[in-house]
């Protein structure tokens, strides 16, 4: 594992945030990495900011790693290659069941829940010049960008569109790269699954006219009946081109921690993120949902003992049988 203990002068007593009690940091890591996703996506922006914030507050060297997204993040955190990461509930469930395509047959049960992040809406963007304004108008054989291979979008969106009768050619890549391909006419649409506002879409709006293609109520209900998602509305004003709320579907995202990380370290890291939502909102607006009240959105992963202690101390009711080692 790449999670290493502090040594030398770094081994010191720390003052527990908000508690005023000295704590021994001898088993804390000297540094940590947050596994995110591709540049141009919400995971990278959110994860980089979260990494910097926790690192600064706790006095531990930190960094964010560009990855293929939730599936790879589950593998990296499970093995300890990354201390922390970000995932969605669908890939988390598949990873626990041993069906993660990165390591088929491996039950990734050493990735523990840390805190709720936000919902990931599944949304489609096209150039306004394409004339595509609905899912039913996507032409047969359309070239669709689904994000990095193995990402939440790439895992679920192709199957969702097949469920809705769309015929397409599949393309993968980082969100920024796919945005450039859309603008250059190499793609017909991009099927995004990321926290809103999506940086790549916001950047496209600066450079050209785009259309946010919404699900009809019937399409959203059909997809929600077949996949681990729920109907969702992208609020008007999220993008400059969005004058009214747009129907979509979404899946919850959770921060994850390697289950072997020291309890007090994860407790303090959780406290940094959850105790001041305004700081998180300054990192990314999707953090509006990174609040205590959403602790119960995890019904898949075991909780890290440190994170569970923070939430239970603040009024949650996480049962002992949902806490790793409990």
């Amino acid at each position: 594992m790449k999670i290493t203990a502090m040594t030398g002068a770094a081994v010191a007593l720390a003052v527990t945030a908000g508690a005023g009690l000295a704590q021994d940091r001898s088993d804390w890591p000297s540094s940590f990495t947050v596994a995110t996703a591709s540049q141009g996506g919400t995971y990278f922006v959110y994860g980089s900011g979260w990494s910097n914030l926790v690192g600064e507050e706790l006095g531990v060297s930190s960094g964010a790693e560009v990855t293929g997204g939730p599936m790879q993040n589950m593998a990296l955190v499970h093995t300890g290659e990354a201390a922390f990461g970000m995932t969605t509930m669908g890939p988390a469930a598949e990873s626990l069941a041993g069906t993660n395509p990165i390591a088929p047959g491996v039950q990734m049960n050493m990735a523990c829940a840390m805190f709720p992040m936000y919902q990931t809406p599944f949304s489609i963007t096209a150039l306004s010049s394409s004339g595509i304004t609905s899912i039913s108008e996507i032409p047969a054989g359309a070239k669709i960008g689904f994000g990095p291979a193995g990402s939440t979008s790439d895992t679920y969106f192709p199957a969702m569109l097949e469920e809705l009768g769309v015929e397409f050619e599949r393309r993968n890549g980082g969100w920024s790269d796919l945005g450039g391909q859309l603008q250059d006419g190499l793609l017909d649409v991009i099927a995004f699954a990321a926290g809103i506002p999506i940086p790549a879409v916001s950047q496209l709006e600066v450079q050209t006219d785009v259309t946010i293609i919404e699900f009809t109520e019937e399409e959203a209900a059909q997809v929600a009946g077949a996949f681990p998602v729920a109907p969702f509305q992208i609020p008007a004003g999220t993008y400059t081109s969005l004058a009214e709320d747009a129907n979509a579907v979404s899946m919850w995202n959770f921060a994850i921690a390697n289950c072997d990380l020291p309890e007090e370290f994860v407790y303090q890291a959780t406290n940094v993120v959850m105790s001041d939502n305004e700081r998180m909102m300054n990192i990314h607006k999707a953090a509006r949902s990174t609040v205590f009240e959403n602790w119960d959105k995890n019904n898949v992963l075991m909780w890290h003992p440190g994170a569970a202690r923070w939430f239970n101390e603040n009024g949650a009711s996480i049962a002992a049988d949902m806490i790793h080692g409990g």
Side-chain angles (χ1 to χ4, degrees):
M1 293 176 67
K2 291 186 178 179
I3 302 169
T4 57
M6 284 181 151
T7 59
V11 179
L13 292 179
V15 177
T16 302
L21 297 176
Q23 295 292 333
D24 184 0
R25 291 190 175 202
S26 60
D27 63 347
W28 283 29
S30 58
S31 64
F32 68 85
T33 299
V34 176
T36 63
S38 69
Q39 293 182 353
T42 303
Y43 262 29
F44 183 75
V45 175
Y46 185 111
S48 298
W50 158 38
S51 170
N52 291 336
L53 177 62
V54 171
E56 290 172 4
E57 289 293 314
L58 299 185
V60 180
S61 177
S62 65
E65 180 178 350
V66 173
T67 72
M71 287 290 193
Q72 185 179 6
N73 294 349
M74 284 292 296
L76 290 171
V77 173
H78 169 73
T79 61
E81 290 296 302
F84 300 129
M86 309 153 78
T87 194
T88 41
M89 291 293 96
E94 291 191 37
S95 298
L96 288 177
T99 56
N100 187 318
I102 292 174
V106 177
Q107 294 180 313
M108 299 181 183
N109 56 7
M110 290 303 292
C112 283
M114 188 176 177
F115 61 82
M117 291 167 42
Y118 54 82
Q119 294 182 74
T120 287
F122 289 72
S123 61
I124 301 172
T125 299
L127 298 183
S128 298
S129 59
S130 71
I132 302 171
T133 61
S134 67
I135 292 175
S136 62
E137 291 177 352
I138 297 175
K143 296 179 178 64
I144 301 180
F146 289 104
S151 65
T152 299
S153 179
D154 184 54
T155 302
Y156 292 96
F157 227 148
M160 289 180 185
L161 293 182
E162 289 172 353
E163 171 73 19
L164 297 176
V166 180
E167 299 178 11
F168 55 84
E169 292 184 22
R170 188 169 179 163
R171 297 289 187 270
N172 292 113
W175 294 125
S176 294
D177 180 52
L178 292 177
Q181 291 184 45
L182 181 70
Q183 193 171 359
D184 292 341
L186 301 177
L187 294 175
D188 295 290
V189 301
I190 301 179
F192 287 97
I196 53 176
I198 300 166
V201 176
S202 298
Q203 182 61 36
L204 277 170
E205 285 192 309
V206 173
Q207 300 168 334
T208 188
D209 294 329
V210 302
T211 299
I212 308 300
I213 300 171
E214 65 178 318
F215 288 70
T216 65
E217 291 185 5
E218 293 75 17
E219 288 168 342
Q222 182 177 347
V223 168
F227 300 94
V229 295
F232 179 86
Q233 285 198 323
I234 301 173
T238 299
Y239 303 108
T240 57
S241 57
L242 200 60
E244 299 179 352
D245 293 351
N247 290 325
V249 294
S250 70
M251 184 181 292
W252 267 96
N253 296 269
F254 254 72
I256 52 177
N258 179 271
C259 298
D260 279 340
L261 282 170
E263 178 178 331
E264 186 64 24
F265 174 61
V266 176
Y267 176 93
Q268 295 298 340
T270 303
N271 182 65
V272 169
V273 172
M274 299 302 301
S275 64
D276 191 340
N277 187 248
E278 184 176 347
R279 291 189 302 186
M280 292 299 296
M281 285 282 288
N282 287 336
I283 292 170
H284 197 287
K285 291 180 181 178
R288 66 175 64 88
S289 297
T290 306
V291 293
F292 167 81
E293 289 77 11
N294 290 325
W295 69 269
D296 61 354
K297 300 303 188 293
N298 167 43
N299 57 1
V300 174
L301 295 165
M302 298 291 283
W303 284 85
H304 190 286
R309 176 158 65 91
W310 188 92
F311 280 96
N312 283 341
E313 285 180 358
N314 285 277
S317 54
I318 300 171
D321 62 1
M322 281 298 293
I323 302 173
H324 179 76

